[in-house]
Amino acid sequence: MRAVFHESYGGPEVLQVGERPDPVVGPDSVLVRVRAAGVNPVDFKIGAGYLQGAFPSFLPTIAGWDAAGVVEAVGPAVRDLAVGDEVLGYVRKDFVRDGCYAELVAGAQRHWALKPPAVSWEAAGALPLAGLTALQSLEAVRAGAGDTVLVHAASGGVGHLAVQIAVARGARVIGTASERNHDFVRSLGAEPVQYGDGLVDAVRALAPEGVDAAVDYVGGDAITQSAELAKDPARTASNVDPQAVAEAGGLYCFVTPDARQLASLAALVADGTVRVEVQEAFPLERAADAWTAQVDGHVRGKLVLAV
């Protein structure tokens, strides 16, 4: 199969496209022919070698943790999926080596959910990791109807989905973003505020008593700002810096695969409650360009690879 992989650690320049062995289909695994693969900040962090202390890592590494495609084969113990099913999945394994930037990817049955026909391949490939991160962090802070929820990085890959999920749950959402993305954040159902200096005052102007919950996907000052603005710092969460968020009294969220939750997210996309903003779809051969765009920041929504 063709795949994007790296044989050393570094930036986008280490990526190469070439032939790699087809994945092995285990007893409870599903082989998927990929149509679209999500591009996430964690991908280039893995490429730089930053996660070697968190997961056993092996070179050469095929990048990518989420994908959408068509089931090509199933192991003998698989019951819920069949050849020909259209699926999407957050395919994070217990080691880093066999990722989703490829024509084929194998993952356990628990990684995959059925893709509704109304969801495009690009949206399906972009949704799993970011959508599950958004959903699980909102559940961690118990965001629900009647709450005022602060979402940091509200125009980004995770943030724009978190805004919409929180709104769908009946929350009022205040979202931080650069001024050029304020109209986009409004279109998602949130009240935008400029991030950076003055954020606390800007949020208090909208919510004088503070916010009920806050979720952060950028780190840095946003973690302490969340704690300052939240009525209860225990209802703040971040997926960026476990030590900093713990010191601020909040929760660290690291996304885990969950086929049931993924199916519920796909249903929200299918019925139009949530839209997945795909800024650009790159061919597999331009994966390095996708990484460069992701490293540069300021991506509105998600980037994907069309395989």
Side-chain angles (χ1 to χ4, degrees):
M1 67 175 183
R2 289 169 60 255
V4 177
F5 60 96
H6 54 95
E7 297 178 307
S8 60
Y9 294 111
E13 73 282 351
V14 303
L15 293 182
Q16 52 187 299
V17 182
E19 294 294 320
R20 299 298 305 158
D22 289 355
V24 174
V25 183
D28 64 347
S29 67
V30 177
L31 181 68
V32 172
R33 184 162 293 277
V34 178
R35 296 290 298 273
V39 177
N40 300 284
V42 70
D43 299 344
F44 68 76
K45 294 176 184 178
I46 289 172
Y50 297 157
L51 267 66
Q52 291 184 69
F55 295 93
S57 301
F58 305 93
L59 294 171
T61 299
I62 299 172
W65 272 355
D66 52 5
V70 180
V71 175
E72 186 140 310
V74 298
V78 173
R79 300 287 180 266
D80 298 331
L81 295 171
V83 173
D85 284 344
E86 296 183 350
V87 295
L88 68 164
Y90 171 41
V91 194
R92 176 169 65 78
K93 302 171 184 177
D94 295 329
F95 59 92
V96 174
R97 186 186 63 195
D98 304 325
C100 295
Y101 290 12
E103 292 178 327
L104 294 168
V105 63
Q109 183 174 234
R110 64 187 174 86
H111 291 135
W112 303 100
L114 289 171
K115 181 187 81 67
V119 179
S120 71
W121 286 117
E122 290 181 358
L127 179 64
L129 189 157
L132 286 171
T133 300
L135 177 60
Q136 291 173 13
S137 59
L138 288 168
E139 292 195 341
V141 300
R142 307 186 307 281
D147 285 336
T148 297
V149 179
L150 175 62
V151 176
H152 291 278
S155 65
V158 177
H160 88 288
L161 298 172
V163 167
Q164 296 175 85
I165 295 167
V167 169
R169 291 181 165 211
R172 174 196 181 193
V173 179
I174 299 171
T176 75
S178 62
E179 188 172 356
R180 70 184 181 89
N181 284 319
H182 280 193
D183 285 344
F184 173 62
V185 171
R186 288 189 188 95
S187 76
L188 302 174
E191 300 165 65
V193 295
Q194 178 71 33
Y195 63 79
D197 295 339
L199 172 64
V200 171
D201 290 339
V203 173
R204 287 204 180 278
L206 296 172
E209 296 182 0
V211 299
D212 297 293
V215 286
D216 160 58
Y217 312 116
V218 66
D221 292 340
I223 292 174
T224 54
Q225 290 165 339
S226 290
E228 184 175 350
L229 287 163
K231 298 172 186 176
D232 178 3
R235 292 186 68 188
T236 67
S238 176
N239 71 332
V240 180
D241 187 333
Q243 181 175 347
V245 71
E247 290 173 353
L251 303 168
Y252 174 64
C253 293
F254 188 76
V255 61
T256 59
D258 189 308
R260 179 188 58 81
Q261 289 182 330
L262 187 53
S264 71
L265 287 167
L268 291 176
V269 176
D271 70 16
T273 300
V274 171
R275 82 175 190 261
V276 181
E277 180 77 5
V278 176
Q279 176 174 297
E280 188 170 357
F282 296 81
L284 204 61
E285 292 77 10
R286 291 185 58 208
D289 292 337
W291 272 23
T292 298
Q294 193 77 71
V295 171
D296 288 345
H298 308 296
V299 172
R300 177 182 291 182
K302 291 295 304 289
L303 304 175
V304 299
L305 299 178
V307 182

